[in-house]
Amino acid sequence: MTSIAIVGAGPQLGLAIARTFGTQGFDVALISRNGEKLDSIVGKLAADGITAATFPANVLDRAGLTRALKEAAARFGGIDVLEYSPVGQFGITTLTSPSGTEPSDVEFEMNFQLYGAVAATNAVPPAMREAGAGTLLYTTGAGSIWPDPRVANVNAAAAALRNWAMNLHKELADAGTGIQAAHVGIDASVGVSILPGVEAVQPEQITPLYWDLHTTKRDEAELVFRG
């Protein structure tokens, strides 16, 4: 069997990615901080005939995140695809302009985006290297590529994650590991418009990019969805 672990799984993009891979025969490990929401997603996937299990963890708790991924690997006999796309919550995530950004504003986002991705990645590649195959996918908003001053602190951390993911792609490719690493940039709001002028799209419009990277575009370090 093959499996995908979705870190930051939610009812929009996470569910759509799970369906995209699940309908191709993948088992799905769902990881996020809200176990009740994960249970709801499992129910929706089960209705589609997709096997899924929940592994609650907060990406800010790196030890807990590592433990959840190891439990997922044990449950499904390994992880073939890791997808990282946690989304901040209103009331927790502070959006700042460039001149209004304090170090703490960027620090939180770096912990949430880059450091969480690094911790998640460190938990899975050893088995992938042994197998000589695997896929590592990292999602950010397109502000990581084309900055938006309304969300400068989020963009800064997203750009750091994009840079790291593309460097990882080069390292793994140059070493001939058989592991694909890639960044997915989303130039749209998913499900509902949040920022004025940023179009909302349905997550099902985006998820073919993830499948393409896993299957036919393994030489690509990045794909960008433009709504």
Side-chain angles (χ1 to χ4, degrees):
M1 296 295 291
T2 49
S3 65
I4 179 172
I6 301 172
V7 179
Q12 293 279 351
L13 184 61
L15 174 58
I17 294 172
R19 280 182 169 142
T20 295
F21 282 79
T23 55
Q24 297 295 328
F26 277 68
D27 292 330
V28 180
L30 301 167
I31 299 171
S32 78
R33 57 184 173 266
N34 192 318
E36 291 183 4
K37 287 184 179 180
L38 291 181
D39 289 338
S40 174
I41 296 172
V42 168
K44 292 176 181 178
L45 293 173
D48 295 332
I50 298 169
T51 299
T54 68
F55 304 89
N58 189 326
V59 299
L60 298 177
D61 175 5
R62 292 170 212 154
L65 177 58
T66 298
R67 184 166 55 252
L69 284 163
K70 291 187 180 300
E71 289 173 355
R75 167 69 172 79
F76 291 123
I79 294 172
D80 302 281
V81 180
L82 171 70
E83 193 280 323
Y84 187 86
S85 56
V87 177
Q89 290 183 325
F90 289 109
I92 296 177
T93 299
T94 300
L95 305 179
T96 64
S97 66
S99 61
T101 298
E102 297 292 336
S104 59
D105 297 321
V106 179
E107 182 180 25
F108 176 84
E109 288 300 319
M110 290 290 283
N111 272 300
F112 190 71
Q113 296 195 62
L114 177 61
Y115 302 156
V118 171
T121 302
N122 287 343
V124 297
M128 289 183 177
R129 286 180 183 271
E130 184 175 344
T135 303
L136 306 166
L137 303 173
Y138 308 90
T139 303
T140 74
S144 62
I145 308 166
W146 306 294
D148 184 332
R150 294 172 294 182
V151 287
N153 60 320
V154 175
N155 285 176
L161 174 54
R162 173 180 181 251
N163 180 281
W164 179 81
M166 296 178 77
N167 264 331
L168 180 61
H169 170 92
K170 180 172 176 54
E171 177 192 3
L172 294 172
D174 288 350
T177 62
I179 304 171
Q180 156 76 328
H183 169 252
V184 177
I186 302 176
D187 190 18
S189 292
V190 180
V192 60
S193 182
I194 298 174
L195 295 174
V198 180
E199 181 182 354
V201 300
Q202 294 306 304
E204 292 79 11
Q205 296 174 251
I206 304 169
T207 54
L209 273 67
Y210 295 86
W211 186 249
D212 288 347
L213 285 166
H214 176 63
T215 55
T216 62
K217 297 185 177 179
R218 297 189 62 78
D219 291 336
E220 299 288 337
E222 177 176 69
L223 290 181
V224 180
F225 176 87
R226 305 198 73 164

